[in-house]
């Protein structure tokens, strides 16, 4: 079934992952409906609840700090255990004094989900935690609270990269995190294909994730590791140093490492964003992230990881970009979504389908210049069929890739599916200003590997050389330099060739 196990590290990552899981839940179809284009077995696991009823819950592990889960309980309606309701009698038979924090009141949105009534409209004021807009049930094993640190603590803030690294080492020595948390999800998979990781890279979670990735690669070296690394848009020396450490530690180990600025600095006038609300900013990111990974979950099976490999599997840092596509006059015939409608193509040699202009760039502040060179790009078009679709798109992909390599052209893959992006009631209702009468969006999303990454890493090198302590500086700066060189060499522009 080519399953994917997801790991979520920290508050920002869990805001994004909650949107992701809400979308996956919306793709389920029931009796009397057409079969879903999405293969739910990839991201969801079957199980049996406490009452013996079959369940279907995400294949995920959710790590967060004390106080970060809001009203989300480890045991929910599917897995409510009777022994949890009545505290057991311990060895102490004297008088007990119970001290308990005041419970967090449940949001009106969650109350409406429990009651089966129409959900109220959410806002940045009513969303206090990522669990406030969560629509799915999780297996109790998925919830992992780290009690060593508290959310938004001023006394012990979870900010320094080394704190996360040390926390992982301490917990792993005590519990063996892979054996305790990951292995149960891996062993119940028929054919595990990848680990998908949501994390932040510019705080202590970067250090925690880096060591976790090391362990995953050591234990499951043949499985893909896809890292979505979120970065705060506010830049300080501390955060930039944390980014440098994360890039150095994870980009060479992971199959894909994608930095994501949260929130992006440049937005079109069709998108309205409340930058102070993680619910808003993570919803925007989910449009691109969930869309570009859709081929992983669709029927029939698509080898998503091979499309990222390019011609040499060396360049693993990708840029995330997306555009909202307005239907042309809404006059195109609506196509009935069927599995056969999904198509994948590699463009023919000499074509110019590589796209560099998008509404939103989640990885870089500045737009792509004419001097930047694209090594590899994966485009996903959902809802809106490409105008330049070829009749030859079914030609052997391996042959096309060889021809592109022979002609020194970028590796390029484009995937089309008629399944649009659904706007759920857990999504900010006023974020997209263009017409969405059917509560669905046509999205073009892309993962791109280009020479822009070299400029980004060069800036991190300079900062690390100034700020990092001597004992760490040499390894970090030299390591970043080696990564940067892979995005600078191996190609020559036409202008350079003409000058010779």
């Amino acid at each position: 079934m080519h399953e994917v196990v997801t790991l979520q590290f920290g508050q920002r990552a869990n805001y994004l992952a909650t949107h992701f899981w809400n979308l996956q839940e919306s793709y389920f179809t029931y009796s009397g409906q057409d079969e879903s284009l999405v293969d739910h077995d990839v991201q969801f696991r079957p199980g049996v609840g406490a009452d013996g009823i079959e369940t279907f819950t995400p294949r995920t592990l959710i790590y967060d700090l004390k106080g970060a889960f809001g009203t989300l309980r480890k045991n929910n309606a599917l897995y409510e255990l009777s022994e949890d309701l009545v505290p057991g009698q311990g060895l102490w038979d004297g008088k007990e004094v119970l001290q308990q924090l005041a419970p967090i009141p449940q949001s009106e949105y969650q109350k409406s989900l429990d009651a089966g009534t129409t959900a109220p409209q959410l806002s940045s004021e009513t969303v206090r935690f990522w669990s406030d807009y969560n629509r799915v049930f999780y297996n109790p094993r998925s919830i992992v609270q780290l009690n060593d640190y508290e959310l938004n603590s001023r006394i012990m803030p979870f900010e320094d990269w080394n704190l996360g690294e040390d926390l992982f080492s301490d917990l792993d020595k005590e519990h063996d995190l892979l054996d305790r948390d990951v292995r149960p999800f891996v062993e119940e998979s028929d054919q595990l294909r990848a680990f998908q990781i949501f994390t932040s890279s510019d705080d202590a979670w970067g250090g925690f994730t880096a060591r976790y990735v090391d362990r995953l690669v050591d234990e499951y070296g043949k499985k893909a590791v896809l890292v979505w690394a979120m970065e705060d848009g506010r830049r300080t020396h501390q955060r930039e140093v944390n980014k440098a450490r994360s890039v150095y530690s994870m980009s060479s180990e992971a199959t894909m490492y994608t930095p994501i600025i949260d929130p992006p600095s440049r937005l079109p006038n069709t998108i309205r964003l409340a930058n102070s609300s993680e619910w808003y900013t993570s919803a925007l990111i989910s449009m691109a992230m969930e869309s570009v990974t859709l081929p992983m979950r669709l029927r029939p099976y698509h080898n998503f990881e091979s499309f990222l490999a390019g011609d040499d599997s060396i360049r693993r840092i990708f840029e995330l970009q997306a555009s909202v596509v307005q239907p042309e006059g809404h006059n195109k015939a609506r196509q009935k979504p069927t599995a056969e409608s999904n198509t994948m193509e590699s463009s023919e040699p000499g074509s110019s389908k590589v796209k560099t202009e998008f509404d939103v760039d989640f990885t870089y502040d500045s737009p792509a210049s004419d001097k930047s060179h694209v090594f590899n790009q994966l485009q996903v078009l959902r809802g809106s069929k490409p105008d330049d679709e070829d009749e030859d798109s079914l030609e052997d992909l391996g042959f096309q890739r060889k021809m592109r390599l022979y002609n020194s052209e970028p590796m390029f893959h484009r995937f089309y599916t008629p399944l649009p992006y659904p706007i759920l009631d857990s999504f900010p209702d006023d974020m997209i200003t263009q017409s969405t009468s059917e509560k669905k969006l046509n999205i073009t999303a892309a993962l791109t590997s280009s020479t822009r990454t070299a400029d980004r890493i060069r800036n991190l090198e300079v900062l690390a050389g100034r700020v990092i302590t001597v004992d760490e500086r040499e390894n970090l700066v030299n390591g970043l330099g080696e990564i940067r060189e892979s995005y600078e060499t191996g190609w020559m522009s036409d202008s350079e060739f003409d000058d010779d």
Side-chain angles (χ1 to χ4, degrees):
M1 289 189 291
H2 306 285
E3 296 90 349
V4 176
V5 173
T6 301
L7 296 98
Q8 308 169 204
F9 299 121
Q11 190 73 178
R12 272 183 287 170
N14 287 328
Y15 266 90
L16 173 59
T18 301
H19 283 295
F20 174 82
W21 291 118
N22 287 349
L23 287 162
Q24 305 318 304
E25 187 264 350
S26 73
Y27 298 140
F28 277 86
T29 56
Y30 304 94
S31 59
Q33 297 177 315
D34 293 333
E35 182 184 43
S36 174
L37 291 175
V38 176
D39 184 354
H40 307 297
D41 290 324
V42 172
Q43 299 275 181
F44 284 78
R45 55 173 297 280
V48 179
D51 56 359
I53 296 178
E54 291 186 3
T55 64
F56 221 40
T57 54
R59 300 181 190 274
T60 190
L61 285 162
I62 306 173
Y63 291 83
D64 217 330
L65 306 181
K66 183 179 179 181
F69 289 87
T71 59
L72 185 69
R73 296 182 300 161
K74 192 177 184 71
N75 292 318
N76 51 55
L78 294 181
Y79 293 92
E80 192 71 73
L81 303 179
S82 58
E83 54 265 31
D84 291 340
L85 302 178
V86 181
Q89 180 66 39
L91 297 177
W92 172 254
D93 57 1
K95 184 178 180 181
E96 296 180 352
V97 177
L98 181 63
Q99 293 184 338
Q100 189 172 6
L101 293 174
I104 300 173
Q106 194 175 35
S107 68
E108 294 301 318
Y109 184 82
Q110 290 297 325
K111 290 179 180 177
S112 69
L113 292 180
D114 292 342
T117 57
T118 303
Q121 185 172 325
L122 291 168
S123 68
S124 55
E125 289 75 26
T126 57
V127 175
R128 306 154 301 170
F129 303 92
W130 52 264
S131 58
D132 284 343
Y133 60 94
N134 169 61
R135 296 179 57 89
V136 302
F137 288 117
Y138 297 99
N139 187 284
R141 290 186 317 208
S142 292
I143 311 299
V144 185
Q145 179 172 287
L146 306 182
N147 295 314
D148 301 70
Y149 293 88
E150 191 168 356
L151 180 66
N152 299 326
S153 172
R154 295 184 178 180
I155 300 174
M156 293 177 61
F158 199 56
E159 293 291 338
D160 187 80
W161 200 88
N162 293 319
L163 288 179
E165 192 176 34
D166 294 340
L167 177 60
F168 177 86
S169 299
D170 294 342
L171 293 173
D172 197 43
K173 287 178 183 177
E174 183 178 356
H175 303 291
D176 191 340
L177 293 181
L178 261 67
D179 191 61
R180 185 193 71 177
D181 298 340
V182 177
R183 196 173 304 280
F185 287 94
V186 172
E187 290 182 347
E188 67 186 13
S189 301
D190 292 336
Q191 192 175 351
L192 179 71
R193 68 184 289 189
F195 294 97
Q196 175 178 248
I197 297 177
F198 298 97
T199 187
S200 49
S201 63
D202 59 352
D203 56 14
W205 285 110
F208 188 91
T209 307
R211 298 289 75 83
Y212 217 121
V213 169
D214 286 344
R215 286 292 314 278
L216 287 174
V217 172
D218 287 343
E219 187 74 16
Y220 307 101
K222 295 183 179 181
K223 309 302 179 184
V225 178
L226 312 176
V227 179
W228 303 96
M230 302 177 70
E231 305 171 354
D232 196 314
R234 299 165 298 177
R235 293 184 172 176
T236 64
H237 274 185
Q238 179 64 55
R239 290 190 178 277
E240 292 296 300
V241 169
N242 289 341
K243 291 179 194 176
R245 288 170 170 150
S246 294
V247 170
Y248 168 64
S249 300
M250 285 188 272
S251 65
S252 58
E253 296 282 349
T255 309
M256 179 200 76
Y257 182 87
T258 305
I260 300 174
I261 299 175
D262 180 27
S265 58
R266 295 178 295 111
L267 295 174
N269 55 16
T270 55
I271 295 177
R272 183 186 298 114
L273 202 64
N275 288 348
S276 60
S277 170
E278 289 183 296
W279 172 58
Y280 264 89
T281 59
S282 59
L284 178 62
I285 296 170
S286 75
M287 288 170 49
M289 174 267 150
E290 199 272 337
S291 295
V292 83
T293 59
L294 197 56
M296 295 179 66
R297 301 180 292 278
L298 290 177
R299 301 184 178 94
Y301 166 75
H302 295 282
N303 194 350
F304 178 83
E305 299 79 44
S306 69
F307 304 140
L308 299 176
D311 59 343
D312 52 18
S313 301
I314 294 176
R315 303 177 186 92
R316 304 180 180 186
I317 301 177
F318 286 84
E319 310 154 28
L320 177 65
Q321 299 122 338
S323 294
V324 178
V325 181
Q326 178 71 38
E328 297 180 6
H330 305 276
N331 56 2
K332 288 188 177 182
R334 291 185 177 89
Q335 301 180 34
K336 184 179 179 180
T338 61
E340 290 74 22
S341 298
N342 299 322
T343 59
M344 171 64 75
E345 65 174 307
S346 290
S347 64
E348 71 285 356
S351 73
S352 57
K353 294 182 181 179
V354 170
K355 184 177 172 65
T356 57
E357 294 183 4
F358 293 85
D359 289 348
V360 187
D361 191 328
F362 294 91
T363 303
Y364 296 108
D365 292 324
S366 57
S369 66
D370 295 335
K371 296 181 180 179
S372 60
H373 174 80
V374 173
F375 297 109
N376 185 21
Q377 186 175 85
L378 168 65
Q379 283 183 26
V380 177
L381 285 66
R382 60 185 306 178
S384 179
K385 201 164 188 176
D387 295 328
D388 58 348
E389 186 177 36
D390 298 302
E391 297 296 330
D392 302 329
S393 61
L394 297 179
E395 185 180 340
D396 180 71
L397 298 185
F399 174 77
Q400 292 186 23
R401 293 181 67 169
K402 289 178 182 178
M403 289 299 298
R404 296 188 71 79
L405 180 61
Y406 177 79
N407 292 323
S408 300
E409 295 174 342
M411 291 293 143
F412 174 81
H413 302 280
R414 181 166 65 183
F415 185 89
Y416 162 73
T417 176
L419 182 66
Y421 183 92
I423 298 181
L424 310 178
D425 55 20
S426 59
F427 194 89
D429 188 66
D430 60 347
M431 191 174 76
I432 306 298
T433 59
Q434 71 181 44
S435 174
T436 55
S437 58
E438 297 182 1
K439 295 294 183 180
K440 295 178 181 179
L441 295 173
N442 296 337
I443 302 288
T444 298
L447 285 171
T448 307
S449 173
S450 77
T451 53
R452 299 170 73 195
T453 298
D455 296 331
R456 174 190 177 91
I457 296 180
R458 185 181 295 108
N459 294 335
L460 294 177
E461 278 184 81
V462 172
L463 180 67
R466 292 201 317 261
V467 179
I468 297 292
T469 55
V470 176
D471 56 339
E472 185 187 0
R473 182 187 306 155
E474 183 175 357
N475 286 338
L476 182 57
V477 173
N478 290 343
L480 289 172
E482 292 177 3
I483 296 171
R484 170 180 49 79
E485 288 173 0
S486 65
Y487 294 88
E488 293 178 328
T489 58
W491 69 281
M492 181 179 292
S493 69
D494 293 337
S495 60
E496 289 172 337
F497 184 81
D498 293 337
D499 290 339
D500 292 340

